[in-house]
Amino acid sequence: MIISTLSEYPGFQITEVLSVIADYDKEFRPGRNIYTLQECLNNAFRRLEKQAENLGANAILGVGIAYSGTNQIPIVYGTAVKMVKQSDHQN
């Protein structure tokens, strides 16, 4: 799975845009956490990758992190896509 902040990925052609996806670590509560922000983001990215796989994607592009609400809970998001290497793709 390719995960990138880029909207296009060098050497690859997007063949299908599947869906915008997002997730957050539902257990994260600033000030009451037993694990770090990095662990929280890792958990959210794992679930984001699982969402993309369930859609049949092989990449998530345009990945970003936003902070929601007064608790500033980090939300990860991106666009699930199917891509092929440009040399493999016939126009």
Side-chain angles (χ1 to χ4, degrees), residues 32-64:
R32 297 186 299 166
N33 255 8
I34 58 173
Y35 56 97
T36 67
L37 176 59
Q38 186 61 52
E39 290 171 314
C40 166
L41 291 171
N42 288 344
N43 291 339
F45 273 112
R46 275 192 291 275
R47 283 194 301 277
L48 194 73
E49 186 173 354
K50 185 68 173 164
Q51 283 183 49
E53 288 172 356
N54 289 342
L55 292 169
N58 62 353
I60 306 169
L61 300 181
V63 170

Side-chain angles (χ1 to χ4, degrees), residues 70-89:
T70 57
N71 288 335
Q72 293 295 288
I73 296 171
I75 298 170
V76 295
Y77 61 89
T79 303
V81 300
K82 289 184 181 180
M83 297 193 308
V84 295
K85 287 186 178 181
Q86 286 181 336
S87 60
D88 295 342
H89 184 68

